[in-house]
Amino acid sequence: MTWRPRLIALDIDGTLTPVGSNDMAPAVKAAIARAADHGTHVVLCTGRSLIGTTPIAAQLPVAHTLCSNGAVWWDPLTKEVTKRTTFDPGPTIKALQALLTDVVFAVELTGVGSLSMGSFLPGDLWGVTSEVTFEEMVATPTPRLVMRWLDHTPAELSFALRELALPGVEWSVDHTEAWLTAVPADISKGAELDELAAQLGVRPEDALAIGDGANDVEMLRWAGLGVAMGQAPEHVKAAADEVAPTVLEDGAAQVINRYFP
């Protein structure tokens, strides 16, 4: 019998759309729609906040949405947050401030936007952004903290953080911007997908996952078939079972079309 995924987990930026864009190619939308029509669970699994994810979910027959690297679960049918895991961002902010200068921070206000310390670049943050003091930022636990190192490259940030330990959080560095994302300890796309799949009665070996970033590694390793996008960094490709064409070549659609022609 030919294998066909019962669950497809999809990153957004660099997988379904160019980074930071809400524009999906028609071929990508069509491939995902065919999979859903066959009864496959389509799950968006993204580092984006909820407010940044909903424009993508609105374009697709999505059954489940895991935002903020899995810290926020959102039901597209009921429009409700069904699970939200938070942490105190204060210690992480202080540790990063002690190591780096010219950094700006933002914490997620789920479904609304962000609180920021310092000014981000236009288009960096989704929703309404309010600039606050450190005390105001850490007053309420958050599911997601982001940091941008202004006027630096991703490689420079990765090198600067090479020996950094951040207890109590899971964190990753983006490969397209000097950008760090931190979420609560033990939260990852892979771990949250494992929990969701168990609820749906789907085994990991019956799942397909497609992604392109460091925050996708656990997801790609978890799935029966983990596929890295063609423009992904080498360490992400190494964690995958295979490599697809790039996002600009509609690589996700090409993979899905193999199983849902």
Side-chain angles (χ1 to χ4, degrees), residues 3 49 82 101 109 113 122 139 214 246:
W3 183 83
S49 66
T82 57
T101 59
L109 295 178
T246 69

Side-chain angles (χ1 to χ4, degrees), residues 3-247:
W3 183 83
R4 173 178 277 176
R6 295 184 56 212
L7 183 152
I8 300 177
L10 298 166
D11 172 50
I12 295 177
D13 291 292
T15 299
L16 301 184
T17 72
V19 174
S21 171
N22 287 335
D23 296 327
M24 270 181 293
V28 173
K29 293 181 183 179
I32 294 170
R34 281 194 300 275
D37 286 344
H38 280 81
T40 293
H41 301 281
V42 177
V43 182
L44 292 180
C45 200
T46 176
R48 289 192 184 195
S49 66
L50 173 57
I51 198 74
T53 305
T54 50
I56 301 298
Q59 301 178 55
L60 297 170
V62 176
H64 303 276
T65 302
L66 305 183
C67 313
S68 302
N69 285 341
V72 176
W73 294 27
W74 182 72
D75 187 326
L77 296 178
T78 65
K79 312 297 184 186
E80 294 180 352
V81 173
T82 57
K83 180 184 176 184
R84 184 172 180 269
T85 309
T86 62
F87 71 106
D88 173 8
T92 300
I93 293 172
K94 288 181 178 179
L96 292 167
Q97 286 178 322
L99 188 63
L100 304 170
T101 59
D102 300 321
V103 287
V104 293
F105 298 90
V107 295
E108 175 184 329
L109 295 178
T110 303
V112 176
S114 303
L115 300 179
S116 74
M117 284 174 53
S119 298
F120 281 74
L121 300 181
D124 271 352
L125 302 174
W126 306 98
V128 177
T129 301
S130 301
E131 196 160 338
V132 297
T133 65
F134 173 81
E135 289 74 18
E136 291 170 318
M137 176 169 281
V138 302
T140 303
T142 184
R144 175 177 176 265
L145 166 72
V146 295
M147 182 204 77
R148 178 186 269 281
W149 196 14
L150 300 172
D151 300 320
H152 288 272
T153 67
E156 288 173 325
L157 180 57
S158 294
F159 184 78
L161 301 182
R162 65 195 183 281
E163 297 180 356
L164 178 67
L166 290 175
V169 298
E170 302 293 337
W171 59 280
S172 59
V173 172
D174 190 76
H175 63 283
T176 61
E177 304 285 352
W179 180 283
L180 175 145
T181 301
V183 296
D186 301 322
I187 294 291
S188 71
K189 292 185 179 185
E192 299 307 297
L193 278 168
D194 193 56
E195 181 178 334
L196 175 62
Q199 294 178 11
L200 298 173
V202 177
R203 301 175 303 170
E205 52 263 43
D206 292 323
L208 163 66
I210 310 176
D212 78 314
N215 60 337
D216 294 315
V217 167
E218 291 84 356
M219 174 175 81
L220 299 180
R221 289 173 174 163
W222 169 82
L225 178 61
V227 180
M229 297 296 289
Q231 79 284 350
E234 289 304 315
H235 75 279
V236 177
K237 292 178 180 178
D241 298 298
E242 63 179 74
V243 178
T246 69
V247 64

Side-chain angles (χ1 to χ4, degrees), residues 27-28 31 210 244-246 248-259:
V28 173
I210 310 176
T246 69
L248 297 180
E249 300 169 290
D250 302 337
Q254 294 191 45
V255 173
I256 295 170
N257 285 343
R258 296 206 312 252
Y259 306 104

